[in-house]
């Protein structure tokens, strides 16, 4: 699945994902793969995403173990990057609940980007091996993130070993 998503969802309101295993996400053994396990790509209004018992294993290069899958879960609203305001999906409140899940061998475990409204991210009982844990950029509303019961192994080739990084938010 080089350069793609295991599951990509757009224009959603209420999403429940439970009891799935995703193997071999991304990884081309040449560069970082840009493969992502779960992608949520834009919606209007309010939305709730519930993720429980997802086991997502990224590929690791045998040649260079710093080349891994890119992101476990990405929440983005790519439509608001369009120059045409009429094409924007303007999200208001997006709540993401991730529980009892594992994301192994990713550059970033969770990534939030380009959201018009508020983002509320709740994680409980997460196991991960990644270069960094949570990165957010370009959120025009408020961001509230809560993590409880995190078991994390940071890989030695991380981008400054970021646990939580906020950029232009």
């Amino acid at each position: 699945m080089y350069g793609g998503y295991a599951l990509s969802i757009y224009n959603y309101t209420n999403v429940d994902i439970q009891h799935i295993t995703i193997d071999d996400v991304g990884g081309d053994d040449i560069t970082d793969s840009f493969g992502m396990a779960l992608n949520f790509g834009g919606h209007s209004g309010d939305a709730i995403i519930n993720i429980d018992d997802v086991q997502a294993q990224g590929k690791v290069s045998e040649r260079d173990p710093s080349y891994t899958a890119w992101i476990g879960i990405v929440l983005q609203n790519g439509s608001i990057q369009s120059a045409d305001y009429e094409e924007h999906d303007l999200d208001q409140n997006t709540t993401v609940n991730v529980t009892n899940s594992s994301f192994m061998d990713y550059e970033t475990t969770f990534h939030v980007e380009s959201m018009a409204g508020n983002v509320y991210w709740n994680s409980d009982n997460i196991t991960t091996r990644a270069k960094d844990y949570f990165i957010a950029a370009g959120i025009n509303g408020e961001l509230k993130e809560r993590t409880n019961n995190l078991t994390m192994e940071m890989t030695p080739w991380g981008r400054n070993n970021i646990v939580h990084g906020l950029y232009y938010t």
Side-chain angles (χ1 to χ4, degrees), residues 23-169:
D23 291 323
D24 294 329
V25 174
D28 64 357
D29 208 27
I30 297 170
T31 62
D32 280 347
S33 72
F34 303 108
M36 299 174 221
L38 304 175
N39 175 62
F40 298 92
H43 67 88
S44 297
D46 295 340
I48 297 174
I49 300 167
N50 296 307
I51 298 168
D52 182 55
D53 188 23
V54 170
Q55 312 307 312
Q57 177 66 52
K59 287 185 181 179
V60 177
S61 167
E62 291 181 19
R63 184 179 54 80
D64 183 346
S66 70
Y67 297 154
T68 63
W70 197 21
I71 302 171
I73 299 175
V74 62
L75 173 67
Q76 61 180 329
N77 195 342
S79 72
I80 68 172
Q81 296 174 0
S82 169
D84 184 354
Y85 186 80
E86 297 298 319
E87 294 181 9
H88 293 191
D89 290 327
L90 295 179
D91 54 271
Q92 293 176 7
N93 298 301
T94 306
T95 301
V96 179
N97 301 303
V98 185
T99 55
N100 307 311
S101 296
S102 172
F103 299 90
M104 303 304 282
D105 300 321
Y106 288 88
E107 179 145 334
T108 303
T109 307
F110 303 136
H111 182 101
V112 179
E113 181 174 343
S114 299
M115 299 298 287
N118 302 318
V119 175
Y120 307 107
W121 192 288
N122 303 296
S123 302
D124 189 24
N125 196 25
I126 304 299
T127 300
T128 186
R129 181 172 45 246
K131 295 178 184 180
D132 41 71
Y133 175 65
F134 188 98
I135 292 180
I139 300 170
N140 294 324
E142 73 177 0
L143 167 67
K144 291 187 178 182
E145 187 271 336
R146 179 197 61 82
T147 297
N148 184 47
N149 197 20
L150 170 66
T151 302
M152 178 172 187
E153 176 186 344
M154 295 184 93
T155 60
W157 41 79
R159 175 178 31 185
N160 301 320
N161 293 326
I162 295 169
V163 174
H164 287 86
L166 302 176
Y167 304 94
Y168 311 107
T169 298

